[in-house]
């Protein structure tokens, strides 16, 4: 998974919050007011996200419309997979995580494993 900078993450947050493709202007308007960005900066960031495979781009008239290529959860899961693969000891990492997981996280993992038929 590509690493995202803070501005790219903020733009992806806007795309993830939308159920429909968005124009550059709509993305710009959806960013927090503390982000005082030029239109061209937003356009560049969206182009970079498209190039990285994080956003799909389509044309409607003369404007590009952008939409997240994957859900936030799928991106996070892919990042976790990358981390596990890089450790050399994914089982050890998972066991350590399980030992430090909250009750809610443990329940979520147990339920997911139950759905896959992986728990006794």
């Amino acid at each position: 998974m590509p690493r995202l900078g803070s501005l790219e993450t903020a733009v992806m947050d806007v795309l993830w919050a939308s159920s429909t493709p968005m124009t550059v202007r709509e993305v710009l308007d959806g960013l927090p007011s503390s982000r005082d960005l030029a239109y061209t900066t937003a356009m560049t960031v969206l182009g970079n996200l498209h190039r990285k495979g994080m956003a799909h781009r389509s044309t409607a008239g003369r404007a590009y419309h952008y939409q997240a290529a994957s859900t936030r959860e799928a991106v996070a899961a892919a990042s976790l997979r990358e981390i596990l693969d890089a450790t050399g000891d994914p089982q050890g990492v998972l066991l350590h995580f399980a030992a430090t997981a909250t009750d809610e996280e443990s329940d979520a993992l147990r339920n997911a494993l139950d759905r896959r038929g992986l728990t006794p």
Side-chain angles (χ1 to χ4, degrees):
M1 293 303 319
R3 302 280 185 245
L4 299 181
S6 64
L7 181 53
E8 290 174 322
T9 301
V11 169
M12 285 305 302
D13 286 341
V14 173
L15 293 178
W16 280 320
S18 176
S19 60
T20 60
M22 302 178 78
T23 64
V24 175
R25 175 59 56 197
E26 290 168 334
V27 171
L28 193 57
D29 291 344
L31 289 169
S33 58
S34 61
R35 296 258 187 201
D36 188 23
L37 296 180
Y39 180 91
T40 54
T41 301
M43 189 170 56
T44 299
V45 171
L46 284 161
N48 289 341
L49 289 168
H50 171 69
R51 182 180 48 77
K52 290 179 177 184
M54 296 294 297
H56 292 303
R57 178 169 72 186
S58 59
T59 54
R62 292 180 27 189
Y64 282 125
H65 285 75
Y66 294 88
Q67 190 166 27
S70 298
T71 64
R72 179 189 313 266
E73 295 80 11
V75 171
S79 294
L80 179 57
R81 169 54 49 207
E82 187 176 304
I83 290 167
L84 288 172
D85 291 345
T87 66
D89 185 16
Q91 184 177 359
V93 172
L94 287 171
L95 290 174
H96 180 74
F97 175 77
T100 62
T102 66
D103 290 342
E104 293 81 16
E105 292 165 341
S106 294
D107 289 343
L109 287 170
R110 194 173 296 106
N111 289 337
L113 292 172
D114 284 346
R115 285 192 301 272
R116 289 189 61 197
L118 297 176
T119 57

